[in-house]
Amino acid sequence: DEEQLRACQQILKERTGAFSSFRGVMKLPAICLLAMEQNPELKMEQAIQAYETARQQFSFSNQLALAVFFMPSDINMNQTAARAKELHRRMKKDHPFLTSAEDSAVAMMMACVPRTDDQLLEDLESCYQLLKERFGASNHVQTAAQVLALAAGDPCQKTQHFLDLYDAIGQFGGKYGKYS
């Protein structure tokens, strides 16, 4: 709905500064996410507040600005951001060359998952090792493993499902990923 998108663009413009993390490369996704909301003004205000809280734990990140749109409105943002920071710290300890500020967004989403930090990180590492066998060690493999860790289930089954989907896309002539 073009009218709704324009209204949300105006909300974004009125509520954020020119150098806001919600602008630049995140502007279009933010506008689209706002347009899907029943109350985009409220969602924008919640996103700004959540981002300000998350920024107390993390450095500047466009991805973090996008991630706060997906945070449940009923969480304690201070606790979630602190938990996310600890998850991020532990990810960086395990994979110092692969983990960066970009991973703060996934850490925020992981912090909302009702499993322990140990369970999440063990799941992530299992998925990463399984994917690494096929694709090698890379940031793309870590990102895929992080997304798989967000979902419930056995790491072997989740990873196999991902690989089956990846192969099916290739069988039909599609390309998936940056290097395929």
Side-chain angles (χ1 to χ4, degrees):
D1 179 356
E2 184 179 344
E3 187 176 312
Q4 178 71 357
L5 289 169
R6 290 195 189 281
C8 291
Q9 181 177 17
Q10 188 62 34
I11 291 168
L12 186 70
K13 184 177 179 182
E14 290 171 359
R15 304 272 173 98
T16 62
F19 299 107
S20 168
S21 296
F22 294 101
R23 301 250 191 128
V25 297
M26 290 301 134
K27 182 179 178 180
L28 187 56
I31 290 168
C32 291
L33 288 166
L34 288 172
M36 293 188 298
E37 294 290 327
Q38 291 291 326
N39 188 341
E41 294 89 357
L42 176 61
K43 186 63 176 181
M44 187 73 240
E45 189 58 38
Q46 290 171 339
I48 291 168
Q49 289 175 1
Y51 182 74
E52 288 173 3
T53 301
R55 282 279 289 124
Q56 293 172 11
Q57 299 290 335
F58 293 101
S59 60
F60 170 85
S61 166
N62 289 322
Q63 293 81 2
L64 187 61
L66 186 60
V68 297
F69 278 101
F70 298 100
M71 298 289 102
S73 60
D74 62 344
I75 62 166
N76 179 317
M77 197 57 197
N78 287 317
Q79 290 176 349
T80 301
R83 181 179 182 207
K85 181 65 174 182
E86 177 61 15
L87 285 163
H88 189 268
R89 183 194 67 75
R90 289 178 63 186
M91 283 190 285
K92 189 155 186 73
K93 181 182 173 203
D94 291 342
H95 297 280
F97 298 109
L98 296 177
T99 307
S100 67
E102 294 173 355
D103 297 302
S104 62
V106 160
M108 288 294 293
M109 290 185 273
M110 288 176 78
C112 296
V113 173
R115 287 186 272 151
T116 67
D117 293 359
D118 288 342
Q119 289 170 330
L120 286 164
L121 294 172
E122 287 169 13
D123 198 357
L124 188 157
E125 188 61 26
S126 295
C127 292
Y128 177 76
Q129 292 302 325
L130 291 165
L131 290 171
K132 188 172 93 167
E133 290 174 13
R134 168 92 177 261
F135 300 108
S138 73
N139 192 41
H140 300 95
V141 170
Q142 183 185 20
T143 300
Q146 289 168 339
V147 172
L148 291 172
L150 289 169
D154 176 67
C156 293
Q157 290 176 339
K158 291 188 290 189
T159 302
Q160 188 57 55
H161 184 70
F162 174 87
L163 293 172
D164 292 345
L165 180 60
Y166 182 88
D167 291 339
I169 291 169
Q171 288 174 347
F172 289 99
K175 293 187 176 187
Y176 181 82
K178 189 172 180 178
Y179 299 108
S180 59

